[in-house]
């Protein structure tokens, strides 16, 4: 189908790549320099020094908290950790075969039904709902994980930090210091990344002025897609498929001969090294030693070296997060839910920013169909 339509200066850009769709003070992603800033703070600085509680507060409020603000914020997160019993009852009645992200999407939507403040439109209530979701998404993810294994959900432990409690709810035992640090780092590094597909989805939805739960449900739906949130799951599958150090070279040769793709390498934005990747590598090494199973880290090191030699592409944040989360006792099909438990902070920050001076997002399509034509009766077609 074609048409001699009049050309305009606004020709369509597939995927909106490079199109500026919003003014935002939340995040800078510089793909040329390999730089990532949250509210002006370099991700290296935050990864080495800040906790996820500090980072999520920063994203929501624009500044890092002082001691008093941090204590209050931590208490707010702890206060909201438990989820309605009805969500657990519903989860137990959903199909065991359902993908974890489908379950998380459905639970998030249902959580809005049970929140009496869901439709409130004041900034204070919307901020409170954002904090509630940052706190409760990990509880939902942990419940999904345990119920799928035939286990009862673990109640939150208010003596633990956000990351430590998340690990405790997942595995049912107090995590080691390295495991807690690993979860905190994963949450920090994935918390925000500009106008990616799921974040843009959340802004498009909230711009129509529904409730925040609707926008977050849509964002989770976008993150569920294979082209967005599941790369580290594929990395783990690849490591399992290869199985040993000596199989890496023939695997790489086979992928190259069949013009395949190396999961966890390259990035849609970064033209140089993903600034987040290096922070996960060392923790993967340490947890590999701690669990007595260093081979997945050793395989990752060797694969990174050989793939770079072949295609001159650096690994991205997904590559070492695969072996790291495996060491943390997290199954591959739950990785994207862990991603959502982190990115919820960025989604909520963008939602609050969009609502400040909101305007509905209504882009224009470049029509390439037929010019006007006449209806023909069915007997004459």
């Amino acid at each position: 189908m074609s048409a001699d339509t009049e050309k305009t200066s606004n020709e369509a850009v597939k995927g909106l790549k490079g199109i500026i769709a919003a003014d935002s003070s939340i995040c800078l992603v510089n793909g040329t320099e390999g730089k990532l800033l949250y509210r002006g703070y370099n991700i290296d600085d935050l990864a080495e020094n800040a906790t996820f509680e500090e980072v999520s507060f920063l994203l929501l409020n624009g500044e890092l908290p002082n001691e008093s603000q941090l204590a209050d914020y931590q208490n707010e997160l702890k206060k909201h950790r438990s989820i309605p019993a009805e969500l657990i009852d519903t989860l137990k009645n959903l199909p065991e075969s359902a993908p974890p992200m489908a379950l998380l999407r459905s639970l998030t939507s249902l959580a809005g039904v049970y929140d009496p403040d869901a439709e409130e439109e004041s900034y204070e209530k919307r901020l409170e709902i954002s904090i509630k979701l940052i706190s409760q998404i990990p509880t939902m993810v942990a419940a999904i994980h345990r119920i799928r294994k035939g286990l009862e959900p673990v109640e939150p432990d208010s003596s633990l930090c956000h990351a430590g409690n998340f690990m405790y709810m997942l595995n049912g035992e107090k995590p080691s210091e390295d495991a807690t640090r690993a979860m905190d780092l994963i949450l920090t590094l994935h918390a925000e990344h500009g106008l990616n597909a799921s974040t843009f989805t959340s802004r498009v939805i909230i711009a129509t002025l529904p409730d925040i739960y609707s926008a977050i449900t849509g964002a989770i739906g976008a993150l569920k897609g294979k082209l967005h949130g599941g790369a580290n799951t594929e990395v783990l599958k690849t490591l399992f498929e290869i199985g040993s150090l000596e199989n890496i070279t023939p695997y790489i040769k086979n992928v190259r001969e069949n013009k395949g793709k190396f999961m966890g390498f390259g990035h849609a934005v970064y033209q140089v090294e993903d600034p987040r990747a290096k922070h996960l590598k060392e923790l993967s090494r340490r947890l590999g030693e701690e669990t007595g199973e260093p081979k997945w880290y050793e395989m990752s090191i060797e694969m990174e070296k050989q793939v770079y030699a072949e295609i001159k592409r650096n690994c991205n944040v997904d590559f070492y997060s695969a072996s790291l989360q495996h060491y943390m006792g997290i199954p591959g099909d739950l990785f994207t839910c862990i991603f959502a438990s982190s990115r919820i902070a960025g989604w909520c920050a963008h939602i609050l920013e969009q609502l400040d001076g909101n305007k509905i997002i209504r882009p224009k399509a470049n029509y390439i169909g037929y010019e006007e034509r006449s209806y023909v009766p069915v007997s004459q077609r």
Side-chain angles (χ1 to χ4, degrees), residues 55-285:
V55 167
S56 57
F57 183 98
L58 169 68
L59 291 172
L60 291 179
N61 298 284
E63 298 291 345
L64 286 168
N66 59 33
E67 288 185 357
S68 174
Q69 290 171 325
L70 180 58
D72 289 344
Y73 181 66
Q74 289 170 327
N75 287 333
E76 279 294 299
L77 287 172
K78 290 177 180 180
K79 182 177 76 174
H80 291 299
R81 281 177 179 172
S82 295
I83 59 176
E86 291 85 355
L87 267 62
I88 300 297
D89 293 339
T90 298
L91 183 57
K92 289 179 177 179
N93 287 303
L94 292 174
E96 293 181 5
S97 59
M101 279 294 283
L103 296 172
L104 180 60
R105 177 200 62 210
S106 301
L107 285 186
T108 302
S109 178
L110 189 59
V113 176
Y114 289 103
D115 187 345
D117 295 328
E119 303 293 336
E120 293 289 333
E121 297 186 348
S122 70
Y123 172 81
E124 290 74 20
K125 283 296 182 183
R126 284 166 167 165
L127 178 60
E128 182 180 343
I129 290 170
S130 297
I131 295 170
K132 189 181 299 183
L133 280 164
I134 291 170
S135 183
Q136 290 187 354
I137 291 291
T139 307
M140 295 181 205
V141 171
I144 289 168
H145 173 57
R146 292 186 65 81
I147 288 173
R148 289 171 74 237
K149 292 176 65 177
L151 301 170
E152 282 297 311
V154 174
E155 282 295 311
D157 185 337
S158 61
S159 70
L160 297 172
C161 67
H162 186 81
N165 176 66
F166 193 7
M167 287 297 297
Y168 171 65
M169 291 191 298
L170 283 167
N171 297 326
E173 58 186 36
K174 299 287 180 68
S176 69
E177 187 176 330
D178 276 348
T180 299
R181 171 62 180 149
M183 177 58 81
D184 195 87
L185 189 57
I186 285 170
L187 295 176
T188 291
L189 294 174
H190 290 84
E192 167 57 13
H193 211 243
L195 281 192
N196 54 82
S198 55
T199 299
F200 188 56
T201 297
S202 73
R203 292 188 74 132
V204 170
I205 294 174
I206 203 64
T208 69
L209 300 183
D211 62 289
I212 290 179
Y213 290 92
S214 294
I216 297 300
T217 300
I220 291 172
L223 187 67
K224 182 178 181 290
K226 294 177 182 178
L227 295 182
H228 190 4
N232 49 11
T233 302
E234 297 304 316
V235 172
L236 188 63
K237 288 179 182 177
T238 298
L239 291 174
F240 286 166
E241 180 185 342
I242 295 171
S244 65
L245 279 167
E246 54 266 26
N247 290 336
I248 291 175
T249 300
Y251 172 83
I252 290 174
K253 182 181 178 182
N254 181 62
V255 171
R256 293 289 279 164
E257 288 176 350
N258 290 281
K259 302 186 185 305
K261 183 177 181 181
F262 295 106
M263 299 306 296
F265 287 85
H267 194 275
V269 177
Y270 295 115
Q271 300 167 32
V272 292
E273 184 181 21
D274 184 333
R276 302 167 294 176
K278 61 182 177 289
H279 296 285
L280 299 177
K281 183 187 284 191
E282 173 60 14
L283 272 173
S284 178
R285 182 192 69 78

